[in-house]
Amino acid sequence: MDLAQRYTDVGVIGAAGKMGSGIALLLCQQMTHRRLGPDGKGRRFKLTLMDVNDAALDGLQSYLASQLKRMAEKSTILLRGLYADRKDLVENGEIIDAFVADALALPRFTTDLGAMKGAHMVFEAIAENIDLKKKVYGELKNLCGPETWFFTNTSSIPISLLDREVGLGGRIVGYHFYNPPAVQKLLELITGPDTQSDLIEASKQIASDLRKKVIPANDIAGFIGNGHFIRDGLYGISELERLTGEHGFPEAAYLVNHVSQDWLIRPMGIFQLIDYVGVDVFQCILGVMNRFIDGEDLHSTLIDALMDKGVRGGQNPDGSQKDGFFRYEKGRPVAVYSLDEGKYQPLDDSWTGKLDGLLGTLPEGYVPWKGLARDPGKNEKLAAYFANLRATDTLGSSLATSYLKRSKEIGENLIKSGVAANAEDVNGVLLNGFFHLYGPINDYAADPQTVH
Amino acid sequence: MQMRRKVYLAAGTYTVSLGTGRKEFHPRKPRPGIEHYMQEAGRAVISKIPDVNVIDECVVGNFMAARFNRQGNLASLMPTIDPALVYKPCTRVEGACGSGGLSIFTGIKSILAETADVVLSLGVEVQNTVKAIYGADVLAGAGHYASQRKNGHAYFFPSMFSDRAGAAFEKFGHEKVRRAMTQWYVNAVEGARRCPEAQEYHNTVEDLHAIGNTPPNPKVFVDHLNFSDCSKVSDGAAALLVLSEEGLKKTAIAAKDAVEVVGFGTSVADLTKQPEDPTQADTSQSAVGKAYEMAGIHAKDLAFAEVHDCFSITGILMAEATGICGHGEGYDFISEGRTKLDGDLPMNLSGGLIGHGHYTGGTGVRETVDSWKQLTGRAGDFQVKVPSDRPYGLMISMGGNDKTVVTLVMQQAGS
Ligand SMILES: NC(=O)c1ccc[n+]([C@@H]2O[C@H](COP(=O)([O-])OP(=O)(O)OC[C@H]3O[C@@H](n4cnc5c(N)ncnc54)[C@H](O)[C@@H]3O)[C@@H](O)[C@H]2O)c1
């Protein structure tokens, strides 16, 4: 079966979830383009969107309608070509509306997994739970034909394990979109030794159809993205624990978060990032990685303690940030959690000012992440800034330098352990998936001449 | 054609040109409607005369309020400016982006016909009501819908002028033309920075040439233009009085505070036809020729020109249409800085459509108000020197793809 044929019958499982809805949107757009294109004539297209949560499927319909419209507004040049022979559609507005109507005719919404029967490709984005995924793939294996391909969005579970234990015969790849899939450009493609080669080739083609940048990762729990993020987070937590003795928990959390955001010129501090991803998701991925990776203690009693106290992070349905290490107002941290007291302590100058003083002033050449993100000269500016950071002797620069070194070590270990092919891929994931301005494998923590 | 009666312009005003670039613009916050702009501009004019009742007639130029604002019958919105305008004659005129020019032209005709001594001429457009991709549909109405729209580009008008730029690249060399287009953009922003009402007034970019030289991306826009080659999407209004000699007295406006229209021209071309030579704006040339003839002057007699630069390439074609340089010479003329504030023939000193903004149906009035400001010494930071041997200002208001044109030649009254 060629890819054009495969695209005619596609399913998404967990379609109403955060990731599933975005994947459904991308597929809906792509399948509609194909339906309208020269190869689409005479073919029927079907996109089956399945989720156990019926109420959430209502939300999915309106999400698709509004997002498809936005996508059509941004691709009207292409759409005018696709509708060139429709004499009745003249203005952009008419063409955009026609596209949305045509696209919304593809999805079938269902709570019945049985509807996946007949699907040539199934994209799965259900909860990150090995037993649940095994159970669902077991059912799919019996339901779907022997040629059906499976694309799992798992963040950490080795796909070879699913393949072997369910007996999928190499018909599954890890297709790791970043959140939100409609916006984020990065896609980690995870293959195992048994993965069918035509599936690998098609996976790259589909990613390019969906306008994603593919970075290949080996089938080792956590892959590149979480392989770096989780360990980077654990390092931040270990620094937090180390500094708690001297300064107290909220103070230490503030210090480490501040250093990891501003001193490292990253988009978010490490604890804000964990809150964004979800303390619960962090714990879950940590658990999976710990189970499959030997010789490394991937565990955090602090994360467990937070979860015990109901501090979970993640987002509300409206996209606003839930409480985690921090409490947020309009997306900005306004208070920090105090582990002992079990409540949030407002961030105010009376005590954060003192901590800022302890860290010392930011090195010369500092520009916030936002100010550098679109600057074509950012690499030179970063190099100059980090040279100044190395040259200053403050608590801030010593914490930042250690952070840089650890981040680099994590990146290099991903190559050594075979997760990533090279430094370019490691750096590519952090640049594209985490919006870092520089990859972890760099010379910023050490004087260039001391590097071999 | 000669002027059979003296016609003056005075009491000019314009609102801020609101849209991207202005600090106070926020695309998702509610904004004032079209009548607000009409009232703001109209009242500012009225505040400059002792008695509103001397206004005999009103004209409002507007392109597409029926679509941008779902509002027709604009003539009857004029009395919301002041109750004294109730029961006065008022006409709404439309000639795409040349509507503002037509508004003044209509006022001039009433003065010449001796049916009015004081005409309030206004131009307005409020276009930030729709996203750019839908705005492109509305503006495409300035082309021929039946024969051009279906096969036209998503960004219909940018694409028409992109084709003109492409033809110029081919005929005169890409580098030469591109350099001039970028310089036109740089001049536009520099001008806007001198005019507080201009949309690019807040622009602080250091390297404007780098922005101007951004390579075009046909996947998201058109083949030969980048975004900085384009005029802005704007909300705004401009207004002034068109007066007879009697009208000057009735409004107590001193001659030195008015300009005299010494020549005007209007021309239209066939909307259904493509331009014969895309590297020339021949309709504009024709209308400029009429105005010069009526005034008995030549391009070398001009102190400045206010021209219609809906795109950077249009600005250059307009520069050539003034006759200050020959066909194909406009590129170097602009690249050499000869249209800047201190150049041989300064143009678009408050930024033009690219820098000042382009509230389509109001732009011709805005250009005329700026001309009046220059000739009466009111242009502040963007004031040019008006030498006594070159006392004239030229205004070109153009609609569509060089299809509907109004030109004015003015000089300070009493000089
Ligand atoms: N959220 C992220 O940032 C992110 C990023 C990359 C990968 N992932 C991975 O994507 C997957 C989904 O994560 P999410 O964040 O979208 O979770 P989510 O909780 O938002 O969505 C999961 C969806 O699956 C549905 N579901 C649960 N069990 C099901 C079943 N048996 N059959 C059908 N539907 C079922 C749920 O109703 C829910 O709508 C996980 O494997 C996760 O690790 C998440």
Side-chain angles (χ1 to χ4, degrees), chain A residues 14 17-19 51-52 125-126 128 133 153 155 176-177 179:
Chain A
K18 252 192 315 235
M19 302 302 288
D51 201 289
V52 288
I126 62 172
E128 188 76 345
K133 294 217 194 222
N153 196 46
S155 305
H176 189 218
F177 288 91
N179 181 25

Side-chain angles (χ1 to χ4, degrees), chain B residues 175-184 316 331 334-335:
Chain B
E175 205 189 313
K176 175 188 180 118
V177 176
R178 184 60 252 181
R179 192 187 320 133
M181 286 163 67
T182 296
Q183 187 61 51
W184 189 273
I316 302 163
Y331 307 98
I334 280 130
S335 296

Side-chain angles (χ1 to χ4, degrees), chain A residues 12-21 23 50-54 56 110-111 113 124-129 132-133 135-136 139 152-157 175-181 226 276-277 281 284-285 315:
Chain A
V12 180
I13 303 181
K18 252 192 315 235
M19 302 302 288
S21 55
I23 296 167
M50 185 267 163
D51 201 289
V52 288
N53 185 342
D54 198 21
T110 180
T111 55
L113 191 67
E124 169 271 311
I126 62 172
E128 188 76 345
N129 173 322
L132 179 65
K133 294 217 194 222
K135 176 173 154 283
V136 168
E139 288 174 43
T152 175
N153 196 46
T154 179
S155 305
S156 55
I157 304 171
Y175 222 52
H176 189 218
F177 288 91
Y178 276 66
N179 181 25
N226 286 313
Y276 176 77
V277 170
V281 174
C284 165
I285 299 175
Q315 279 94 46

